[in-house]
Amino acid sequence: MTHPTHDLTLISHPLCPYVQRAVIALTEKSLHFTRIDIDLANKPDWFLALSPLGKTPVLRAGGQPIFESAAIIEYLEETAPGALHPSDLLERARHRGWVEFASTVLNGIACLYNARDAQAFTAAARALHDRFMQAEAALGTGPWFAGPHFSLVDAAFAPVFRYFDVLDQIGDFTILTGLPKVAAWRAALAARPSVRTAAPADYPARLARFLAARPSHLGALVAKRRDMPADRVPHPQHESLDATRL
């Protein structure tokens, strides 16, 4: 059976953090791919035929669809040169666990931006801080999760930190306070070329509009601001999204 790493098409959404994981892995492995963005609030039939869960990303490899980011990055790891997993099997299993941990953090971020009131928001922020404390304890000397070698754990966490580039402009929620290793990791990831190009240049404006559209405590905070990178005044109708995945 052939395992194509050519003729690759990534079905994506500009804000989806799971798409960013796949883009980072593709870029780190120097694989050429075509990226097609869809509207998650108005999913085309052809996309639903490829994605049983109706979620991005989907990677078409040689015409065959692979859905779910974990499956995509593992496929790329197994078929393309430039290993992003450690060779030791026990350490590789540990890394897979931390990739899943990053997904849990993304779920926590969704709880944050969907929190209806200040009390729920504070609880979500505290839970996120606890998660990052666990990451702080797992980090070594850096600059990456596994020390000098960039890995799929780094690819999974880079989209997590990208949220905070916008959240930090809204307020100081102390989610990343007192975590020096996490702070250094975040800075290193932000400077990585594969991470910088994983999201569109207008990502901050798109995310600000998305957050302002939420019927939530955070949405109200963003809507009050006039210095956010959302075309100055948020226009929620311009960003039609499926909030369950972003």
Side-chain angles (χ1 to χ4, degrees):
M1 180 179 294
T2 60
H3 301 285
T5 53
H6 61 280
D7 189 21
L8 299 174
T9 300
L10 187 70
I11 316 301
S12 75
H13 184 279
L15 286 181
C16 180
Y18 298 92
V19 166
Q20 293 177 45
R21 293 182 181 184
V23 173
I24 292 168
L26 286 159
T27 305
E28 289 288 337
K29 291 176 176 289
S30 300
L31 293 172
H32 174 76
F33 65 98
T34 300
R35 182 170 178 170
I36 301 175
D37 289 337
I38 64 163
D39 182 353
L40 287 174
N42 186 25
K43 301 168 186 174
D45 290 340
W46 64 263
F47 169 72
L48 294 174
L50 297 176
S51 177
L53 298 176
K55 299 175 181 178
T56 54
V58 174
L59 180 71
R60 284 193 304 214
Q64 295 298 313
I66 306 169
F67 64 96
E68 285 296 298
S69 64
I72 291 169
I73 62 177
E74 289 290 342
Y75 170 78
L76 296 173
E77 183 66 7
E78 291 171 354
T79 58
L84 298 174
H85 263 328
S87 58
D88 180 81
L89 295 180
L90 182 59
E91 189 67 7
R92 189 181 305 176
R94 176 174 171 267
H95 276 223
R96 286 179 172 137
W98 279 99
V99 170
E100 181 59 29
F101 185 91
S103 298
T104 301
V105 176
L106 287 170
N107 291 338
I109 291 173
C111 289
L112 186 79
Y113 63 63
N114 285 316
R116 293 290 181 141
D117 54 41
Q119 183 177 1
F121 181 88
T122 299
R126 186 179 301 116
L128 274 173
H129 180 73
D130 291 345
R131 289 297 188 196
F132 282 110
M133 285 182 65
Q134 291 176 283
E136 178 83 5
L139 290 169
T141 57
W144 314 117
F145 178 81
H149 304 293
F150 187 90
S151 73
L152 287 177
V153 180
D154 300 295
F157 266 92
V160 170
F161 292 122
R162 199 185 299 274
Y163 278 97
F164 288 91
D165 295 342
V166 173
L167 290 174
D168 287 350
Q169 297 182 55
I170 303 169
D172 181 7
F173 306 124
T174 69
I175 295 170
L176 300 179
T177 299
L179 304 171
K181 291 182 180 180
V182 166
W185 188 26
R186 176 188 177 185
L189 286 170
R192 186 90 174 182
S194 64
V195 173
R196 291 203 309 268
T197 58
D202 64 347
Y203 173 90
R206 287 177 177 269
L207 181 57
R209 287 197 297 267
F210 170 71
L211 295 176
R214 309 307 303 150
S216 67
H217 178 71
L218 184 61
L221 293 178
V222 179
K224 292 177 182 177
R225 299 288 296 268
R226 290 296 178 265
D227 56 346
M228 293 295 297
D231 297 333
R232 295 306 174 190
V233 179
H235 297 289
Q237 67 271 23
H238 293 172
E239 204 67 64
S240 185
L241 307 171
D242 178 354
T244 62
R245 192 62 173 177
L246 300 171

